[in-house]
RNA sequence: GCCCCUAUAGCUCAGUGGAUAGAGCGCCGGCCUCCGGAGCCGGGUGCGCAGGUUCGAGUCCUGCUGGGGGCACCA
């Protein structure tokens, strides 16, 4: 059920209607900025002043009278302060027991999302399967994973897809290194690290070796022909790398429902069929002359089209050599995601306990196709640099007549991870230019490997963790929280010290708060919770309010697709608990059964809510460290 | 040239048009440990510049300046 903040807003809205305002403005209610004023406050009277031609103060007073006639449950008093703020003070004696009971029963309780039941396909990770995942890929995966968790918590049916771009040129690069430069893994070298190394080496040699560039072209053609020894080698390489990626991401708590392979999109004719649709419906057309002569394109500046394909923007879908661009494949993929392509993959399990995967081979199919795709809404977690091609996919859907699908296709853009000068310098990058940040580059080997960072984090917490598994969970918590606490529009300028910090606003601090709560609960036996709470301390009251607002925090994170807002909530909850822990008498010394019973239940409710918040963030709650 | 993001404390970042702009890190001092300091408390006039809208602007609009990214027959 909604919290008192929500009920207060509703009560105010009702009071506004009673004043004869048929269409009230949105009633904003927030925690009171001035704690003396109350617990929740609304400035809505200021908005109404113009329309009603009366002073905000006067309006607020009438609204206060209106709300007071039918106050929400657990209201202690309604007041007016300042120039016209309308405030509610909570009656904690009845509110606290209720909030605690609800937090322990089902912390996700909230009015259902009106969109609940809509199937949402979330695509994230989509790391090229030719090298080890680095920190940028990990940020993508953590964002996508938490978005998926939060949407599920709000009642959506969510399917997480990881798109495997296994027919791209980057795969060819590594194959060239293996087949033509004779590169092999060093003893004990993980396969994905080896491929990263091979990729860097090949890219370095292209500059001076035209023959090698030609070999890349031939290798790519062979892969695209989907036949022969090279294609088989490519399939094996990409499969092994995908397995590495799955293991890396699993360390950070990230999982998938379905792997979708680009090679299957081609083999099963998705691409051909999509191109036919684009052609038949006049969305794509051939350019006869000019710089794009021989290409099939999607014209981008509407209105000024026809006649002069030489002018203006156009996105190439089929190159003059007949090879489709990535965007063309992405259009086909998205038609499939929405279930409007008219074709389907075959499906099998990737491995025991692993995700499902697409396959082009009907003989291998073991899973029901009806389970997959057919999205009502699509969220693509892709970095901000790909905004332009994402717009093209959306526009293509719209022009094909899939207008609602185009509207329900959302590019969840986020900024990249870059390196601080210190971190870049440590990797051997020349930082004499004095730039404030340096870009990651897998091609140049300028990167922080996801596994390497998790290893380093684990090494640093090892000494203080009770065992290996705990250290691993703490390390993942530190890294994952670091990647989630930044807003999506913020470039993370990676810094080792900041990422692996265990104090303050960090994943380890959150774990510590949770473990502490568990420690208290273990030491003190539960007692009955009094129906009417005794006088609460200021720390207890703050905690009750925060617990009550958890569903609201989850809803907000879901609506704005913003993991960082949930991270912020979780941190506030942890600090509120630490505050209580520090500033109230130790629970085992409290003799008053009412105080003890209520506070123990409050701490239990905090533990439960912390555990739920941590889980949504993808951190495994630890009862002991 | 056009488009997108961005500018808040020494540093890294929060901040749905509402009251006195907050955290963390670092630094100094103190407290204490129901989890073992990964804890708590104290020490702070900082919203790039100039206009505008508004009862009210860090938040919205315009312009300027600085930073990042994008506009390939790459993915």
């Amino acid at each position: 059920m909604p919290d008192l903040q929500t009920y207060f807003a509703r009560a105010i809205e009702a009071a506004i209607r009673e004043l004869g305002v048929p269409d009230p403005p949105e009633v904003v209610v927030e925690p009171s900025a001035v704690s003396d004023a109350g617990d929740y406050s609304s400035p809505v009277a200021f908005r109404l002043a113009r329309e009603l031609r009366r002073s905000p103060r006067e309006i607020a007073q009438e609204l206060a009278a209106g709300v007071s006639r039918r106050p929400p449950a657990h209201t202690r008093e309604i007041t007016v302060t300042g120039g016209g703020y309308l405030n509610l003070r909570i009656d904690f004696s009845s509110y606290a027991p209720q909030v605690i009971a609800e937090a322990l029963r089902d912390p996700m309780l909230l009015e259902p999302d009106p969109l609940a039941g809509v199937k949402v396909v979330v695509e994230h990770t989509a790391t090229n399967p030719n090298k080890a995942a680095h920190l940028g890929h990990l940020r993508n995966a953590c964002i996508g994973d938490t978005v998926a968790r939060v949407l599920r918590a709000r009642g959506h049916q969510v399917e997480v897809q990881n798109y495997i771009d296994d027919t791209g040129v980057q795969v060819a690069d590594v194959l060239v290194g293996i087949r033509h430069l004779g590169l092999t893994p060093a003893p004990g070298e993980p396969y994905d690290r080896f491929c990263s190394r091979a990729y860097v080496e090949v890219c370095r040699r292209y500059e001076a070796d035209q023959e090698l560039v030609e070999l890349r072209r031939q290798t790519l053609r062979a892969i695209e022909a989907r036949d022969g020894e090279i294609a088989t080698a490519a399939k094996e390489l990409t499969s092994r790398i995908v397995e590495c990626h799955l293991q890396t991401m699993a360390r950070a708590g990230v999982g998938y429902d379905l792997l979708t392979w680009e090679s299957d999109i081609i083999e099963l004719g998705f691409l051909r069929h999509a191109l036919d649709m684009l052609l038949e419906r006049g969305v794509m057309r051939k350019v006869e002359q000019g710089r794009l002569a021989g290409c099939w394109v999607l014209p981008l500046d509407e209105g000024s089209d026809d006649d002069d394909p030489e002018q203006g923007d156009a996105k190439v879908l089929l190159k003059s050599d007949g090879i489709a661009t990535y965007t063309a494949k992405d259009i086909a993929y998205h038609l499939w995601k929405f279930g409007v392509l008219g074709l389907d993959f075959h499906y099998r399990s990737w491995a025991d306990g692993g995700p499902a995967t697409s396959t082009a081979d009907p003989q291998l199919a073991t899973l029901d196709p009806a389970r997959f795709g057919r999205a009502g809404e699509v969220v693509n977690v892709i970095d901000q640099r790909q905004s332009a091609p994402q717009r093209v996919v959306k526009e293509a859907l719209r022009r094909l007549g899939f207008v609602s699908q185009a509207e329900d296709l959302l590019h969840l853009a986020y900024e990249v991870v870059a390196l601080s000068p210190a971190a870049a310098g440590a990797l051997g990058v020349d930082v004499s230019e004095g730039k404030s940040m340096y870009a990651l580059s897998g091609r140049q080997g300028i990167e922080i490997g996801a596994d390497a960072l998790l290893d380093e984090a684990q090494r640093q917490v090892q000494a203080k963790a009770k065992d290996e598994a705990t250290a691993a969970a703490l390390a993942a918590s530190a890294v994952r929280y670091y990647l989630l606490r930044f807003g999506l529009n913020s470039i993370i300028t990676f810094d080792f010290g900041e990422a692996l910090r265990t104090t303050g606003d960090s994943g380890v601090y959150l774990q510590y708060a949770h473990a502490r709560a568990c420690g208290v609960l273990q030491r003190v036996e539960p007692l009955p919770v009094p129906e009417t709470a005794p006088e609460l301390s200021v720390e207890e009251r703050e905690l009750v309010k925060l617990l009550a607002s958890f569903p609201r925090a989850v809803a907000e994170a879901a609506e704005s697709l913003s993991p960082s807002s949930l991270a912020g909530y979780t941190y506030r909850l942890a600090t509120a608990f630490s505050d209580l822990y520090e500033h109230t008498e130790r629970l085992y010394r409290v003799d008053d059964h009412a105080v003890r019973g209520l506070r123990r239940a409050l701490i239990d409710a905090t533990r439960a809510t912390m555990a739920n918040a941590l889980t949504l963030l993808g951190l495994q709650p630890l009862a002991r460290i």
Side-chain angles (χ1 to χ4, degrees), chain A residues 22 58 69 81 98 114 126 128 149 181 193 204 216 232 243 292 375 421 430 451 468 495 508 514 520 544 553:
Chain A
E58 225 176 273
R69 274 194 294 275
T81 54
Q98 190 198 313
N128 265 312
R149 287 168 188 257
L181 298 180
R193 290 308 319 166
R204 195 177 62 76
R216 166 170 69 175
T232 305
E243 184 55 37
L292 297 180
D430 173 15
D451 279 318
E468 188 88 15
D495 177 81
V508 174
H514 177 263
V520 175
V544 167

Side-chain angles (χ1 to χ4, degrees), chain A residues 227-523:
Chain A
D227 201 11
E229 185 199 354
I230 293 178
T232 305
K235 189 76 190 173
E236 193 196 316
L237 183 146
T238 53
S239 295
R240 286 182 70 179
I241 292 290
V242 164
E243 184 55 37
C244 291
H245 288 173
L246 293 179
Q247 286 179 19
T248 301
M249 296 308 173
R251 291 180 71 184
V254 177
Y256 309 90
D257 298 308
L258 178 66
L259 311 177
T260 44
W261 294 71
E262 188 170 279
S263 53
D264 294 334
I265 282 177
I266 294 167
E267 241 174 284
L268 290 168
F270 287 21
L271 175 62
R272 207 177 317 120
H273 189 59
L275 290 171
D276 285 346
M277 288 169 81
L278 287 161
L279 199 54
E280 278 166 22
R281 303 189 193 184
V283 177
M284 178 177 77
R285 64 170 189 225
K286 189 172 187 180
V287 178
E288 299 295 350
Q289 52 183 313
R291 79 189 152 85
L292 297 180
C295 297
W296 293 83
V297 304
L298 185 144
L300 286 180
D301 37 0
E302 271 184 304
S304 70
D305 67 343
D306 278 323
D307 292 343
D308 203 354
E310 174 68 4
Q311 297 292 327
D313 264 354
K315 178 65 199 176
V316 173
L317 298 181
L318 265 183
K319 301 192 272 183
S320 58
D321 62 3
I323 291 179
T325 62
Y326 176 84
T327 301
K329 298 171 198 172
D330 219 21
I331 292 169
Y333 180 30
H334 282 82
L335 288 167
W336 169 81
K337 276 186 186 172
F338 280 110
V340 294
L341 181 68
L343 295 172
D344 209 342
F345 293 110
H346 306 292
Y347 303 90
R348 63 182 175 86
S349 288
W350 173 254
D352 280 346
T357 180
S358 69
T359 174
D361 185 352
Q363 304 292 315
L364 297 176
T366 55
L367 302 172
D368 178 9
R371 270 175 56 191
F372 304 104
R374 297 160 173 82
E377 195 180 319
V378 169
V379 177
N380 287 337
V381 182
I382 304 175
D383 81 60
Q384 166 271 110
R385 293 174 300 187
Q386 293 192 52
S387 296
Q390 282 293 299
R391 272 194 296 272
V392 172
V393 172
K394 195 181 178 89
E395 183 60 15
L397 290 183
R398 199 183 63 80
R399 291 195 201 172
L400 283 169
F402 301 114
V403 176
S404 71
Q405 285 82 358
E407 275 167 17
D408 293 331
L409 170 60
L410 184 76
H411 173 207
L412 187 62
Y414 65 94
E415 275 291 354
V416 296
V417 181
L419 298 171
S420 69
L427 291 178
V429 178
D430 173 15
V431 293
S432 58
E433 274 180 85
K435 297 200 289 186
S436 62
M437 67 179 86
Y438 293 84
L440 296 175
S441 168
R443 192 181 300 263
Q444 293 172 60
I446 303 169
E447 59 182 6
I448 306 280
D451 279 318
L453 182 64
L454 288 164
D455 288 345
E456 177 60 21
Q458 190 165 341
R459 199 183 62 75
Q460 291 194 14
V461 298
Q462 197 88 52
K464 288 185 174 172
K466 70 181 168 75
D467 56 35
E468 188 88 15
T470 303
L474 276 177
S477 296
V479 171
R480 182 154 171 158
Y481 184 77
Y482 173 70
L483 293 174
L484 288 177
R485 53 177 256 253
F486 294 84
L488 298 183
N489 283 336
S490 189
I491 295 174
I492 298 180
T493 307
F494 176 81
D495 177 81
F496 275 104
E498 186 67 11
L500 303 183
R501 190 160 48 75
T502 58
T503 61
D505 189 1
S506 71
V508 174
Y509 172 86
L510 301 185
Q511 289 287 11
Y512 198 70
H514 177 263
R516 253 182 173 166
C518 292
V520 175
L521 295 169
Q522 204 160 33
R523 175 143 189 180

